[in-house]
Amino acid sequence: MGNSMLFSPLLETFLIKKMNKKIVRMSTLLALLTSCALAQEKDSKLVNQLNEVVISDTKFEQNKEKSGKVITKITQEDLQKKSGQTLANVLNSAVGIEINGNQSANGKNLGYYIRGGKNQQVLILIDGIPVTDASGISFEYDLRLLPVDQVESIEIMKGAASTLYGTGAATAVINISLKKSGSKPIQANGYINIGSNNTASNSKYNVQDFNQGFSVNGTAAKLNYLASINSSETNGMSQIADPENQNYETDRFSRVNLLTKFGFKASEKLSIDFFGNYDVIKNDYDSTFDNTGFSDTNLNKTQSKQFRFGFSPKYTYAKGEFILNSSFNKIQRTYSEFNSYTSANESSLYEAQSLNLDAFNKYKWSKKFFTVVGVNYQFHDMLSETPYGNILKENTKFNMVDPYFTGVFMSDFGLTVNAGARLNMHSEYGNQVVYNVNPSFSFGAKLPLKILTSLSTAYVTPSLYQLYSEYGNTTLTPEENTTVEAGFEVGLLNKKINFNAVAFYREQNNSFGFFYNSSTLTSYYINIEGINRAKGIETELTYTINNSFKIGGNYTFTQVDEALKRLIPKHKANLFLDIDITKRLFLNANYQYVDDRNDAFYDGNSYTTIQTKLGSYQLVNASMKYELLKSRLNIFGAITNILNEDFLENVGYSTRGRNFRFGLSINL
């Protein structure tokens, strides 16, 4: 190929900007999630017991014992125990998940690393509906747009799941359920919490982190409603690390989130739910690299706006249920960036629209067998207006129509088989077929053991930018993934002890890469031939000693091929301790170990990619809650990174040291 070269995604972004000065850095442009305080304390587990209800592996509620997957469910009670943490912090303690950037400054982008995959291979659902930013290079959804205060529960299902959920469900599906209306005609909740926001080298503890919100909800006759507002603001840290204590400028952010829900029960069989949310985020960010390496500036500012609305009718009949999930999503990002090459401020606009319609029906053929048949339609478009050129909406769009089928057989003797297939029909690249086969076996009450195995495939759609930008390639085809897993789940001593372990093996083929010819200065996206592999073990253990004392933890081992190694720890472990000291006083302590990781950065002086290794680190956190007025008023305090460990999540970026947080919530 002469002087032609293949570059990693890390170098790809730099080259695009270097050659044509057209890409405003994508790593820090979305909004920020902040910490929260939630209301009442209850006794619960991070990993639910075998007889609990889950929905992620069939789209309909079913007993977890009948599920062929080990699904991690984070309940409202679990979220309450983690008062003061962000959504990224909460997910980062779940088995098999590494959320890189959750301990950095709030402007730092988040990386989702699951089973050797990254953001584009992790599908985020909100109330069962896929969410995405269609203007991004990787077509991903940024979790910083969603405050944890508005979340009711989370289900995490790892493995390839495109059969049910389509593109992006290659390594995991994270299904986030937002809060719902209560049973009373009217009830309300308000909260406020404040905290410090320091690095390990800063010992001046000031109040730099504010989070507050209010919600009202209720049910009257056939109507139910919910309205919630959350706002937060943070200062005190710079995104770029300050190794020599040179007083780098701080990067502020502010965010306002509005959520509304409205439901109408037309009859015993038919109900319709509506939702709408509006998010506005303003924040400062730092440039990552230029010809002199890292740079820190107070001139880079961005504003992000997200607007979503939709409705979901549900019809229940004698042998089944029919559901239509619909949503429209618009994201607009504007930002002003200091260009170190021209020494001038430059403004850019990125905008995307997405429409998602998913109609699916569950039919019970017998007590032992039911099917889920559905069709999913997606439409996406985008535009960008920058000083270096424009991408027109008229030319930058595609749609997908995906019919899919899943059948579930449940025998009398413990065998359950979940199998299905999906046909992806894409307006640009054609057709793609995926499938899954997932048998499991439960031994029953006398031996509360479930064993499981699965073979599943997934696809990842090339993004609008990869297809239609000046670096686009309309001959791109989907990335293909195949996952094999086997494991077990067991509950002992009347399910006081719950233990599960899953081993997985994943192959990733036809990945997206970036081609650059140094002689002709041509560059474009390509599919990279060859297979990259990931394998590992995920295991969890919880022990409920009594109603007042619980301990548990999880461990993840991940081994990947060289091409996938960046920012993935080989070993990761979490431990937790929950104690009800009294009926009103609750204590939580947790420990996290993250193994060393490979990282890399592009050196603007030598024009080469520099490989580096980030050291392992350990975090110890604790929180305490006290119920001043029963079911009415709670106060809490939390300390994070108690040992004030100085560590890196990404080369050159700052991380949080020891910090304190206090808050209260009141139920009306």
Side-chain angles (χ1 to χ4, degrees):
M1 301 178 83
N3 293 323
S4 299
M5 299 178 65
L6 289 177
F7 288 86
S8 67
L10 176 71
L11 183 54
E12 160 197 333
T13 303
F14 178 84
L15 283 174
I16 295 173
K17 183 169 182 179
K18 176 70 179 175
M19 292 169 5
N20 298 295
K21 301 179 182 179
K22 193 170 183 178
I23 302 300
V24 178
R25 293 172 178 88
M26 305 300 293
S27 62
T28 56
L29 46 95
L30 286 178
L32 311 171
L33 283 173
T34 59
S35 44
C36 70
L38 299 167
Q40 309 164 350
E41 71 179 50
K42 294 181 181 178
D43 200 16
S44 169
K45 299 179 181 65
L46 180 63
V47 180
N48 284 323
Q49 296 180 353
L50 296 178
N51 61 350
E52 292 177 330
V53 172
V54 294
I55 63 174
S56 296
D57 64 336
T58 63
K59 291 193 174 183
F60 292 91
E61 290 187 356
Q62 71 166 348
N63 195 302
K64 189 177 180 183
E65 187 175 282
K66 297 295 184 180
S67 170
K69 292 281 190 176
V70 173
I71 297 176
T72 298
K73 187 167 184 179
I74 303 173
T75 66
Q76 179 60 203
E77 292 78 15
D78 299 320
L79 293 173
Q80 291 172 10
K81 291 179 180 180
K82 297 176 179 294
S83 296
Q85 297 191 24
T86 66
L87 184 57
N89 296 150
V90 172
L91 289 171
N92 194 53
S93 64
V95 64
I97 296 183
E98 167 67 8
I99 307 292
N100 182 271
N102 81 97
Q103 294 293 333
S104 299
N106 283 325
K108 178 70 175 64
N109 63 302
L110 298 176
Y112 322 139
Y113 295 92
I114 302 174
R115 293 191 171 183
K118 52 186 178 181
N119 297 37
Q120 196 170 8
Q121 296 153 323
V122 178
L123 181 63
I124 308 297
L125 310 176
I126 297 180
D127 287 333
I129 301 173
V131 287
T132 187
D133 178 1
S135 70
I137 292 178
S138 296
F139 220 65
E140 65 195 58
Y141 183 79
D142 196 316
L143 285 169
R144 293 171 297 179
L145 291 169
L146 181 62
V148 73
D149 309 79
Q150 295 176 347
V151 174
E152 176 68 25
S153 63
I154 305 168
E155 284 187 14
I156 304 166
M157 182 176 69
K158 294 182 289 293
S162 284
T163 298
L164 272 180
Y165 294 105
T167 179
T171 62
V173 172
I174 300 176
N175 189 0
I176 300 168
S177 298
L178 300 184
K179 289 185 176 179
K180 301 175 177 63
S181 58
S183 58
K184 298 179 180 179
I186 184 170
Q187 54 196 80
N189 169 261
Y191 56 88
I192 183 171
N193 60 83
I194 59 175
S196 59
N197 190 43
N198 288 349
T199 64
S201 61
N202 185 2
S203 59
K204 298 179 181 179
Y205 290 99
N206 298 313
V207 178
Q208 300 278 14
D209 196 339
F210 302 86
N211 184 60
Q212 52 275 320
F214 179 79
S215 68
V216 60
N217 66 88
T219 300
K222 296 182 178 182
L223 302 177
N224 63 81
Y225 65 92
L226 178 143
S228 173
I229 182 171
N230 171 266
S231 68
S232 45
E233 183 163 342
T234 301
N235 198 7
M237 283 181 62
S238 170
Q239 287 184 23
I240 300 300
D242 186 7
E244 298 179 1
N245 196 26
Q246 297 174 347
N247 296 317
Y248 277 26
E249 57 86 23
T250 59
D251 294 308
R252 299 175 62 94
F253 83 86
S254 64
R255 183 192 64 199
V256 176
N257 302 92
L258 301 174
L259 170 67
T260 59
K261 285 188 171 185
F262 172 77
F264 174 68
K265 190 171 183 179
S267 67
E268 290 299 320
K269 294 183 177 181
L270 177 64
S271 62
I272 306 176
D273 294 316
F274 301 85
F275 74 88
N277 67 273
Y278 183 60
D279 312 302
V280 181
I281 302 168
K282 298 179 181 179
N283 67 280
D284 305 333
Y285 65 97
D286 288 329
S287 300
T288 51
F289 302 97
D290 58 19
N291 284 336
T292 60
F294 290 106
S295 64
D296 186 63
T297 175
N298 62 0
L299 300 177
N300 294 346
K301 298 180 183 300
T302 179
Q303 176 175 280
S304 298
K305 296 181 180 179
Q306 175 184 244
F307 176 57
R308 292 179 67 243
F309 71 89
F311 66 94
S312 297
K314 178 180 179 181
Y315 181 75
T316 303
Y317 55 97
K319 291 190 174 183
E321 300 173 74
F322 173 81
I323 296 176
L324 171 63
N325 283 335
S326 67
S327 71
F328 173 81
N329 183 31
K330 182 175 181 178
I331 292 181
Q332 183 184 84
R333 297 179 277 113
T334 58
Y335 37 123
S336 175
E337 181 180 52
F338 178 74
N339 189 318
S340 59
Y341 303 105
T342 62
S343 298
N345 277 355
E346 298 173 340
S347 298
S348 300
L349 166 69
Y350 292 85
E351 186 175 285
Q353 297 181 124
S354 297
L355 174 66
N356 194 302
L357 300 173
D358 189 14
F360 50 99
N361 182 79
K362 175 183 178 181
Y363 188 82
K364 303 175 185 176
W365 297 88
S366 68
K367 292 183 179 180
K368 299 180 181 179
F369 181 65
F370 69 85
T371 57
V372 178
V373 179
V375 60
N376 179 217
Y377 172 80
Q378 294 187 48
F379 172 83
H380 305 278
D381 67 21
M382 70 161 287
L383 65 83
S384 68
E385 299 173 357
T386 76
Y388 320 113
N390 299 332
I391 299 176
L392 300 179
K393 180 187 297 186
E394 292 77 11
N395 303 325
T396 313
K397 55 188 176 182
F398 65 64
N399 64 74
M400 293 178 282
V401 180
D402 293 18
Y404 58 92
F405 167 85
T406 290
V408 179
F409 171 75
M410 298 173 288
S411 72
D412 293 330
F413 55 88
L415 175 66
T416 299
V417 179
N418 182 321
R422 185 185 191 104
L423 173 62
N424 170 234
M425 297 182 289
H426 195 282
S427 61
E428 184 58 42
Y429 61 70
N431 299 338
Q432 175 82 9
V433 176
V434 291
Y435 62 89
N436 80 285
V437 180
N438 178 203
S440 61
F441 188 85
S442 296
F443 287 86
K446 293 183 178 180
L447 180 60
L449 170 67
K450 178 178 70 175
I451 58 175
L452 59 95
T453 184
S454 70
L455 168 64
S456 51
T457 61
Y459 66 95
V460 180
T461 301
S463 68
L464 289 164
Y465 192 90
Q466 291 167 332
L467 286 169
Y468 298 113
S469 71
E470 66 274 37
Y471 310 105
N473 178 0
T474 56
T475 67
L476 289 175
T477 57
E479 175 188 289
E480 300 171 352
N481 286 261
T482 301
T483 299
V484 178
E485 64 180 12
F488 67 89
E489 193 168 22
V490 63
L492 302 173
L493 300 179
N494 292 323
K495 299 181 182 178
K496 289 186 175 182
I497 297 177
N498 288 277
F499 179 60
N500 65 68
V502 175
F504 69 88
Y505 172 81
R506 186 176 72 87
E507 291 186 349
Q508 175 179 316
N509 190 25
N510 214 32
S511 302
F512 305 126
F514 191 77
F515 174 82
Y516 171 61
N517 188 306
S518 59
S519 297
T520 63
L521 300 182
T522 57
S523 54
Y524 49 87
Y525 289 96
I526 62 170
N527 288 114
I528 300 175
E529 295 182 0
I531 296 175
N532 291 305
R533 300 170 178 84
K535 57 185 178 182
I537 297 173
E538 301 159 349
T539 183
E540 300 174 279
L541 173 66
T542 60
Y543 181 23
T544 305
I545 298 175
N546 53 47
N547 290 334
S548 301
F549 195 89
K550 293 180 291 295
I551 59 175
N554 59 64
Y555 166 74
T556 304
F557 169 80
T558 308
Q559 183 172 313
V560 297
D561 287 349
E562 191 66 30
L564 305 177
K565 274 190 175 180
R566 183 169 182 259
L567 297 176
I568 297 178
K570 191 171 186 178
H571 305 279
K572 184 174 180 179
N574 294 279
L575 300 174
F576 75 88
L577 170 66
D578 292 343
I579 303 176
D580 290 314
I581 299 175
T582 69
K583 291 183 178 181
R584 294 191 176 187
L585 182 61
F586 171 78
L587 172 68
N588 168 266
N590 59 79
Y591 165 86
Q592 183 175 90
Y593 170 81
V594 179
D595 201 15
D596 55 28
R597 291 134 290 129
N598 294 332
D599 200 357
F601 65 93
Y602 191 79
D603 188 339
N605 292 312
S606 63
Y607 300 100
T608 57
T609 300
I610 306 299
Q611 303 292 331
T612 186
K613 185 176 285 293
L614 308 178
S616 62
Y617 63 90
Q618 304 174 71
L619 298 178
V620 179
N621 309 309
S623 64
M624 182 176 292
K625 296 181 66 178
Y626 183 70
E627 189 178 36
L628 282 174
L629 299 175
K630 187 176 181 181
S631 301
R632 291 292 184 183
L633 179 62
N634 294 275
I635 60 173
F636 88 94
I639 308 175
T640 56
N641 194 0
I642 294 174
L643 303 180
N644 202 35
E645 179 151 353
D646 194 1
F647 63 98
L648 290 177
E649 285 191 296
N650 290 105
V651 60
Y653 288 91
S654 60
T655 55
R656 292 186 178 90
R658 182 189 300 115
N659 282 284
F660 300 87
R661 178 167 291 277
F662 304 93
L664 62 86
S665 67
I666 184 169
N667 298 318
L668 303 175

